[in-house]
Amino acid sequence: MLNRKLAGVTALAGAVAALIGCSKGPEIVPAKFTARPSATDMAEMYPTFARMARIPGRVKMRCEYTISGTLERCRRVAVAPEGLNFEDGVSRLLSKYTVAPQTLDGRPAPAPITFVINFDPPAAPSPYTGEPVRDADVAVIRRQLSYIGQSEGQAAAFRASRSVELDRMTAVSGFVERAFDAEGAQRRTTMPLAVVQAMTPENRARLTSPNAYVMLPLFSDIEAASPEFFAANERLAAHMRNAYCAAYSCSTELPQAAPAEK
């Protein structure tokens, strides 16, 4: 009799344990990104006018992915703000992502993943701590850049207007030209110093050598090295951004936005 009671208690305990196990359900570990586009990748795909005006953007995507972690069958869910073509470069950025697949009880169980690609303006550089800049070096660069004048604003307006929607091209061209009219001269004054600050020591050593070929740094490198040039570009951007955002929406709010992935 006692054995039958013990057997009944054991069976009941086993049933309770089974029920508890069922209620717990399978263990699901969500997918996560193991690689994303670099800052350089993002800068290259940042639409020209939005980058000039320091206007941030968001593109919400929904993708599937392979067991190996590459994205596929992606579709755009939303973009904000519209009209600045933030979505245009996304296809090239998607190849930079890799995903650790979702797992179900430890086994890969791929499922669609929704994420947001953020286009954010660059952060200000740290104070310049490189080799002191010589007046002679600045003078050499100033002569090399003497061709830059009013044409810089016109060229910038041309590039910017072709990076926005058709119905905004004329307005954007005007915003850019007026910004350069207001801030271009001060920016050009700052540029020779900034170029020297961004140069490699080897190129700086050749600056005052007769007939020496000097490789000038990229624009992004100049801005990243020179707080003075960055500040000049910020003032230029503020003119463009204020004018644009007074005429069109600059909101980055997305419908049902997923957690941002940078």
Side-chain angles (χ1 to χ4, degrees), residues 1-161:
M1 183 69 176
L2 180 60
N3 287 339
R4 286 198 298 271
K5 287 183 178 180
L6 287 174
V9 170
T10 302
L12 179 61
V16 170
L19 286 172
I20 292 173
C22 289
S23 64
K24 182 180 178 182
E27 182 184 6
I28 299 174
V29 177
K32 65 178 181 179
F33 286 110
T34 54
R36 298 181 177 88
S38 67
T40 300
D41 295 328
M42 296 301 300
E44 288 177 352
M45 294 299 103
Y46 211 129
T48 300
F49 174 68
R51 185 180 69 247
M52 287 181 181
R54 310 289 209 232
I55 299 174
R58 308 284 181 262
V59 182
K60 185 177 180 181
M61 301 294 299
R62 184 172 176 83
C63 298
E64 297 179 25
Y65 53 87
T66 64
I67 290 294
S68 62
T70 56
L71 298 178
E72 62 179 8
R73 291 189 285 277
C74 293
R75 67 179 180 88
R76 186 175 74 251
V77 177
V79 59
E82 295 184 343
L84 291 172
N85 292 329
F86 281 104
E87 63 273 25
D88 282 3
V90 164
S91 61
R92 294 180 60 182
L93 292 173
L94 293 175
S95 64
K96 307 294 183 179
Y97 287 92
T98 57
V99 183
Q102 172 183 277
T103 61
L104 180 65
D105 287 337
R107 297 180 179 179
I113 185 170
T114 301
F115 60 102
V116 174
I117 300 176
N118 291 328
F119 291 87
D120 294 317
S126 301
Y128 178 73
T129 57
E131 181 183 345
V133 176
R134 300 182 302 172
D135 290 343
D137 293 339
V138 174
V140 171
I141 297 299
R142 183 174 290 112
R143 287 196 295 273
Q144 292 188 10
L145 299 179
S146 60
Y147 65 91
I148 297 177
Q150 188 66 28
S151 61
E152 183 190 21
Q154 295 168 352
F158 179 84
R159 295 194 308 274
S161 67

